[in-house]
Amino acid sequence: MATSTRTTIQTHLGAKAEALLGFHSPKISKDRLHLPGPDFIDRVWIGSDRNIRVLTNLRRLFDHGRLGRTGYLSILPVDQGIEHAAGASFAKNPDYFDGENIVKLAIEGGCNAVASTYGVLGAVARKYAHKIPFIVKLNHNELLSYPNKFDQIFFGTVKESYEMGAAAVQALLRRIQGEPSGSHRVELATELVVRESTARPSTH
């Protein structure tokens, strides 16, 4: 590390600089760590029980973007949906009310992947799923009912995410300690409405 860079970091860390930068007593030797690298999939994951589809999608993630083939990942996560409404997150930058701009930002930033909700990514999947790996969030709290309940609802499935071209999915599994348990759910059912055509019957 260049001296000037280290000095700058020390300035930002202040009194904690020596404790954070001067640590030389690791409990595990660094030569026993699986460090990132261009061969990370073959070196670390190839001997696991992950199926071929999973390994292929891992390779998609690690090969894409500015950090492609370095073993490092840069993922843009934006949790926009019924739980985290766009108004709460993007009121100061209304362009991001449009979920497409979230994906555009990830592409322009050279990210390995973009992670967002089923609705956001599903709305633009046909246009962008082949341009950047998608990580689809399947569930989140519904805040439509009152009083609000902390109850994780699945708004999409693994199969649906796979069909939209996602490289991976995510779901919140851990309930934060102290949160009250949800007692009910609100499900948004879809209904197919078929109307009689007003066009004249074809003569062919």
Side-chain angles (χ1 to χ4, degrees):
M1 181 184 296
T3 302
S4 59
T5 303
R6 184 179 179 87
T7 302
T8 301
I9 294 174
Q10 286 177 321
T11 301
H12 285 294
L13 294 177
K16 297 181 179 179
E18 183 57 33
L20 295 173
L21 301 177
F23 181 75
H24 297 294
S25 301
K27 301 299 182 183
I28 299 176
S29 175
K30 65 180 180 181
D31 60 351
R32 302 188 66 179
L33 300 177
H34 294 296
L35 300 178
D39 61 340
F40 192 77
I41 300 296
D42 293 328
R43 177 165 43 87
V44 176
W45 293 110
I46 204 69
S48 71
D49 63 349
R50 272 71 177 176
N51 65 44
I52 305 304
R53 289 284 189 186
V54 172
L55 293 175
T56 300
N57 283 324
L58 280 173
R59 174 58 70 187
R60 283 181 62 196
L61 292 173
F62 277 99
D63 284 358
H64 191 80
R66 294 166 61 188
L67 296 179
R69 296 186 176 276
T70 65
Y72 292 89
L73 290 176
S74 172
I75 299 171
L76 176 66
V78 181
D79 194 357
Q80 175 184 334
I82 294 177
E83 179 176 4
H84 302 286
S89 302
F90 307 126
K92 294 183 179 180
N93 195 344
D95 286 345
Y96 289 92
F97 278 98
D98 183 351
E100 182 178 4
N101 287 326
I102 295 172
V103 180
K104 285 182 177 179
L105 180 62
I107 293 174
E108 292 173 6
C111 295
N112 295 79
V114 57
S116 195
T117 60
Y118 177 81
V120 167
L121 296 180
V124 297
R126 189 173 296 277
K127 188 174 181 179
Y128 290 103
H130 61 292
K131 297 180 180 180
I132 185 172
F134 282 6
I135 300 176
V136 179
K137 186 182 180 189
L138 299 176
N139 67 329
H140 45 85
N141 288 314
E142 62 83 10
L143 299 183
L144 298 178
S145 58
Y146 185 83
N148 293 154
K149 301 287 186 180
F150 294 94
D151 193 10
Q152 291 293 322
I153 309 296
F154 278 84
F155 287 82
T157 67
V158 174
K159 181 180 179 181
E160 289 169 332
S161 300
Y162 171 80
E163 290 174 347
M164 79 162 66
V169 296
Q170 60 174 331
L172 180 61
L173 301 178
R174 181 180 64 85
R175 183 175 298 280
I176 300 174
Q177 185 176 3
E179 287 185 352
S181 176
S183 59
H184 63 279
R185 296 187 175 192
V186 172
E187 306 235 353
L188 304 179
T190 58
E191 181 181 356
L192 177 63
V193 178
V194 180
R195 295 185 174 89
E196 183 178 355
S197 174
T198 58
R200 293 182 178 181
S202 174
T203 58
H204 300 288

